[in-house]
Structure formats: structure tokens, C-alpha cells
């Protein structure tokens, strides 16, 4: 038997997606370390990366970066395949779907702030729906919806402003630094 | 920096949140059934059940279903408490002839259950 070597060739695009996903994972981990008084509410900083990638590299790259961040982030935090992971996956998928649709809106009128807000709303609404229908069907969580949406409004706005600001940076600085 | 449509989404989002806050139903997490002034049963409106409360005229049926409460049947002649239907949060139905009352209210903070 001869030892066989499996060689995986990573294309530059693979490397770029990996680097961007790493940025998202870094933000997700940093965010998990921030103590927040209210359970279930967090700033969702990793969505900044998703939105930036969507604008710059298209929806396929954004989907990869988002999925990798959710899975790898869950592995790092020890929540892989737990309810928290399912919630994260559901919210991430919903907000990505909304973003992919919303980016087709005329860009002269709708920028990153609006998209970020829509994504945040979709994220929170989906997660609450999953909890209501699957995790805790007997508990009525409708009373929590306004609170979570209010938090999503704020974090969506802040994240959107960050994305708008980062998109105004000169292109090469952001893209190539990450790709390198 | 936000564009025209962004403002639209921001304002619509804020209106949605404000509307949800205003429309949020009052919280009711306690059903108190009294018979002749004494507490007959205290329970949670999320536990579906029908309770038979005995009184001087007969049996009053109290129905609890998906967070709502009503007097389902009562032996009283005018059926006022039955006609009242499902109770709103904070309301009470009183079947005076049979001396039964049902109140949908708010539990006091209960450190044992927390």
C-alpha cells in the first residue's frame, strides 16, 4: 500500500471566503464575551461582515461566509447542534434570504442601513418563531416580540451605519488586505 | 448617510415596533375561582381544563382554554356571567346566584416559582 496524499487546492476565492468567515467568527466570539443584561439580545456584529461580503462579492460568497461563521462559531462556543445553534442557523438563513432579495431594490434609494434593518428584523422574528413553534410551544412569547424588534431596530441601524461607513473606505484597502 | 428608502424602512420599522408595544395585550397569568367568597382554585390560564365549581344552585362550569377563561355553564336563571363570554385580562365574571366568581388577573411576584 502506498501512502496516498489528498491534496486540497484552495482557490484564491476559497481563501478570501475563509478569511472573511474568520472575520465574522472573530466578531461573533468577541460579542459572546460581552456581558449583556438581557438574555437573547446581542448586537449581531457578524452581520456587518455578511452584508459587506454581499455587497462586494455577491450572494454565494455571503452565504458561504454566513454558514461558515455560524457552524465554526458554534464549534468554538460549544453550542454546535444545540438549540442555540438551530436558532443561530434559522436567524442567519432568514436574514440572508431577506438580504439577497432586498439587494435587488434600487440602490439609489436603498442602502446598507435599510438592508441591515430588514435583515435584523428577519433574524429576530424568525428566531422568535422557532422558539414559539418548536422549542417552547406552550409558552406565549408574543409579548416579547416588541422588545426584540426594538433591539433589532437599534442594532440593525448601528450595523448598517458601520457597513455604510466601511463601504466608503477605498476599495483596495478592504478587499486586498483580507485576500492577502 | 442613509438614503431615502432607508429612512422609509427606519420609520416603518419604528412604527411597527411602537404599534406592537401599544397593541401588546395586558398580561394575565392567574385565574382565581372563588366560591362563596373563599378561594376555590387558583391556576394558570395556560393550563387548559374545565373546572366544576359546586354552589347552592348546582354546578358552575369554568372553562380555561389557551390563555382565556369563561363561564361555560351556570345554573343561574339569567345567565349573565355565561353571556359575558371570554374574559379580558383584569376582568371578572360573577355568577351571583350560585356565588361563584372567576377572575383573570395578574399573579403577585412569586419567588417560589422563580
Amino acid at each position: 500500500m502506498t501512502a496516498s496524499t489528498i491534496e486540497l487546492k484552495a482557490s484564491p476565492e476559497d481563501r478570501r471566503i475563509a478569511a472573511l468567515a474568520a472575520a465574522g467568527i472573530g466578531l461573533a466570539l468577541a460579542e459572546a464575551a460581552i456581558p449583556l443584561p438581557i438574555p437573547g439580545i446581542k448586537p449581531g456584529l457578524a452581520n456587518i461582515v455578511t452584508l459587506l461580503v454581499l455587497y462586494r462579492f455577491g450572494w454565494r460568497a455571503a452565504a458561504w461566509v454566513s454558514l461558515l461563521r455560524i457552524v465554526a462559531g458554534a464549534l468554538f462556543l460549544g453550542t454546535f447542534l444545540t438549540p442555540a445553534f438551530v436558532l443561530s442557523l434559522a436567524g442567519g438563513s432568514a436574514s440572508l434570504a431577506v438580504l439577497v432579495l432586498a439587494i435587488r431594490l434600487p440602490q439609489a434609494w436603498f442602502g446598507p442601513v435599510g438592508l441591515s434593518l430588514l435583515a435584523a428584523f428577519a433574524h429576530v422574528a424568525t428566531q422568535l418563531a422557532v422558539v414559539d413553534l418548536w422549542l417552547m410551544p406552550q409558552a406565549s412569547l408574543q409579548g416579547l416580540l416588541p422588545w426584540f424588534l426594538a433591539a433589532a431596530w437599534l442594532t440593525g441601524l448601528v450595523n448598517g451605519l458601520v457597513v455604510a461607513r466601511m463601504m466608503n473606505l477605498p476599495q483596495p484597502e478592504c478587499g486586498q488586505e483580507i485576500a492577502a | 448617510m442613509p438614503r431615502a428608502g432607508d429612512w422609509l424602512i427606519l420609520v416603518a420599522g419604528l412604527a411597527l415596533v411602537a404599534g406592537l408595544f401599544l397593541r401588546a395585550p395586558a398580561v394575565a397569568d392567574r385565574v382565581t375561582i372563588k366560591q362563596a367568597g373563599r378561594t376555590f382554585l387558583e391556576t394558570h390560564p395556560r393550563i387548559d381544563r374545565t373546572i366544576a365549581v359546586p354552589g347552592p344552585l348546582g354546578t358552575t362550569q369554568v372553562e380555561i382554554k389557551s390563555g382565556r377563561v369563561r363561564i361555560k355553564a351556570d345554573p343561574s336563571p339569567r345567565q349573565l356571567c355565561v353571556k359575558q363570554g371570554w374574559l379580558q385580562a383584569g376582568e371578572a365574571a360573577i355568577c351571583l346566584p350560585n356565588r361563584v366568581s372567576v377572575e383573570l388577573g395578574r399573579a403577585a411576584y412569586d419567588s417560589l416559582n422563580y
Side-chain angles (χ1 to χ4, degrees), chain A residues 79-93:
Chain A
T79 59
F80 186 57
L81 294 185
T82 64
F85 168 74
V86 176
L87 284 180
S88 173
L89 190 62
S93 316

Side-chain angles (χ1 to χ4, degrees), chain A residues 17 26 71 101:
Chain A
I17 284 174
V71 173
L101 291 177

Side-chain angles (χ1 to χ4, degrees), chain A residues 24-35 42 44-46 68-89 127:
Chain A
I25 294 164
L27 283 174
L29 290 183
E31 184 175 270
I34 303 171
K42 54 180 188 169
L45 298 175
L68 283 171
R69 187 252 303 161
I70 288 166
V71 173
L75 286 174
F76 278 121
L77 292 170
T79 59
F80 186 57
L81 294 185
T82 64
F85 168 74
V86 176
L87 284 180
S88 173
L89 190 62
Q127 289 193 327

Side-chain angles (χ1 to χ4, degrees), chain A residues 87 123-135 141 145:
Chain A
L87 284 180
H123 200 276
V124 159
T126 307
Q127 289 193 327
L128 214 56
V130 169
V131 173
D132 203 33
L133 294 175
W134 179 58
L135 289 175
L141 295 173
L145 187 63

Side-chain angles (χ1 to χ4, degrees), chain A residues 55 105 107-115 117-118 121 138-140 143 145-147 149-150 153 157 161 164-165 167-168, chain B residues 1-25 27 44 46-47 66-67:
Chain A
Y55 267 115
L105 292 168
Q107 300 223 345
W109 291 351
F110 296 94
V113 176
L115 262 62
L117 204 73
L118 289 176
F121 271 23
Q138 58 287 79
S140 175
L145 187 63
W147 295 97
L149 282 185
W153 191 86
L157 173 63
L161 288 172
R165 175 134 200 172
M167 280 173 55
N168 284 341
Chain B
M1 259 188 304
R3 299 161 207 178
D6 293 342
W7 285 112
L8 192 74
I9 294 175
L10 280 170
V11 171
L14 202 60
L16 176 72
V17 171
L20 282 173
F21 266 116
L22 290 178
R23 265 180 49 97
V27 182
H44 197 277
R46 287 271 152 206
I47 306 167
S66 36

Side-chain angles (χ1 to χ4, degrees), chain B residues 38-85:
Chain B
R38 287 199 194 145
T39 301
F40 179 80
L41 181 75
E42 279 203 332
T43 184
H44 197 277
R46 287 271 152 206
I47 306 167
D48 291 358
R49 59 198 287 196
T50 306
I51 302 134
V53 189
L57 290 186
T59 308
T60 302
Q61 301 277 350
V62 179
E63 185 181 21
I64 301 176
K65 199 171 181 191
S66 36
R68 301 185 304 165
V69 188
R70 67 167 176 173
I71 309 265
K72 196 180 179 184
D74 186 66
S76 61
R78 290 161 74 183
Q79 298 284 307
L80 288 175
C81 58
V82 180
K83 285 178 192 157
Q84 200 175 340

